[in-house]
Amino acid sequence: MSALGARHRDVALLRTLLRDRAARDDSGLLAIDSPRAIDGALDRDVPLRAVYVAVDAAPSSRLVAQRATNRDIAVYELEAGVADRIADVRTSSGIFALAPQQRAAVDALGHGDFWLALVHIGDPGNLGTLVRAAEAAGAHGIIVGSGSVDVYNPKVVRASAGAVFGIPVVEGDTVTALATLRARGVRCLGAAAGSGKGHTEAPFGEPVCVVLGHETRGLGDVALDGHVHVPMAGAVESLNVAMAGTVLLFEVARQRAGEGPR
């Protein structure tokens, strides 16, 4: 088969999915535009629909495409220059994949005793980093509240390095989700600068949901069982939400390993 040109329908679909959430929701698909994220999707056995690689792609992207071929996933070549017309970044990685979405609503909230809930997280880099940290720390799932950036935004997927495919994510009303968790005996602790116990003193060994909010608007009106903070030295008032969340998630992991508060 000859390489696909700029007017091919698959090229148009990839370009649209990278830019338009409505198109992602209508089709039930998303486009992945990072070799690392595609590699992560393959590691997690995501049933990719197809992979597209530029004829002049870097060797690292060609290796990912070969992995897909070895999995019997259809791989198509793109004519030179087409990848840059698809990408939503200035310089394309030269490889893309079509994947099914795995969205779940709050009423499909699964069971587990280690959760991360996010309230109005608007920066895609922060959301992707938090998804990656939550999977790495062993969280059972993530609640992405209404008003947050789309979990399948291409910047989120890139920042997660494929972790968005490796941990259950539910989207919807955070108030409802936290009420469900609290009814199950999960303690919901909100992160707030200087409020509540320091992170190493918090009761993270019990069933817990770490709740993170917008860096300036805070946690909103969600009902919580308490607050927790990361103690700061010097004149620093707070950490970036992704950094603070990572610290808290790995403290939960430490305490769940049996080390307890200190």
Side-chain angles (χ1 to χ4, degrees):
M1 179 184 294
S2 59
L4 306 184
R7 296 186 178 182
H8 193 278
R9 63 177 182 276
D10 287 11
V11 170
L13 176 61
L14 288 167
R15 180 178 170 81
T16 300
L17 292 175
L18 288 171
R19 290 163 174 78
D20 187 347
R21 175 170 184 165
R24 293 194 288 270
D25 289 345
D26 289 345
S27 66
L29 297 170
L30 71 145
I32 314 172
D33 66 343
S34 154
R36 191 172 190 181
I38 296 171
D39 219 23
L42 291 169
D43 288 341
R44 295 163 178 83
D45 295 321
V46 175
L48 300 179
R49 300 289 183 88
V51 169
Y52 304 82
V53 61
V55 294
D56 53 353
S60 58
S61 293
R62 305 294 300 188
L63 285 173
V64 174
Q66 186 58 53
R67 278 196 72 193
T69 297
N70 295 343
R71 298 279 188 92
D72 294 325
I73 296 167
V75 175
Y76 302 97
E77 285 199 325
L78 301 170
E79 290 179 357
V82 170
D84 287 337
R85 299 182 65 172
I86 296 172
D88 70 329
V89 292
R90 182 170 297 177
T91 303
S92 169
S93 64
I95 189 168
F96 307 87
L98 278 178
Q101 292 188 17
Q102 301 173 16
R103 293 191 192 275
V106 166
D107 57 7
L109 194 66
H111 288 274
D113 58 9
F114 177 13
W115 290 84
L116 172 65
L118 305 173
V119 181
H120 296 299
I121 302 299
D123 183 272
N126 284 338
L127 179 54
T129 299
L130 286 165
V131 170
R132 187 176 180 182
E135 186 192 35
H140 295 139
I142 302 171
I143 300 157
V144 179
S146 303
S148 294
V149 65
D150 177 21
V151 72
Y152 290 130
N153 177 294
K155 294 179 182 177
V156 175
V157 177
R158 286 195 294 268
S160 81
V164 72
F165 304 111
I167 184 169
V169 179
V170 299
E171 298 174 283
D173 180 48
T174 317
V175 172
T176 301
L178 294 187
T180 300
L181 290 181
R182 296 176 78 204
R184 296 176 183 174
V186 177
R187 188 176 177 88
C188 297
L189 299 176
S195 298
K197 293 186 176 182
H199 68 295
T200 60
E201 302 170 333
F204 281 155
E206 60 190 61
V208 67
C209 177
V210 175
V211 187
L212 298 170
H214 190 276
E215 291 184 21
T216 56
R217 297 201 300 270
L219 293 163
D221 57 357
V222 296
L224 299 168
D225 297 301
H227 290 87
V228 63
H229 70 279
V230 178
M232 301 283 109
V236 176
E237 294 183 356
S238 64
L239 295 174
N240 163 278
V241 66
M243 294 176 65
T246 299
V247 171
L248 294 172
L249 288 166
F250 277 90
E251 176 60 21
V252 176
R254 186 190 69 80
Q255 292 192 27
R256 285 172 62 84
E259 297 186 38
R262 60 188 180 194

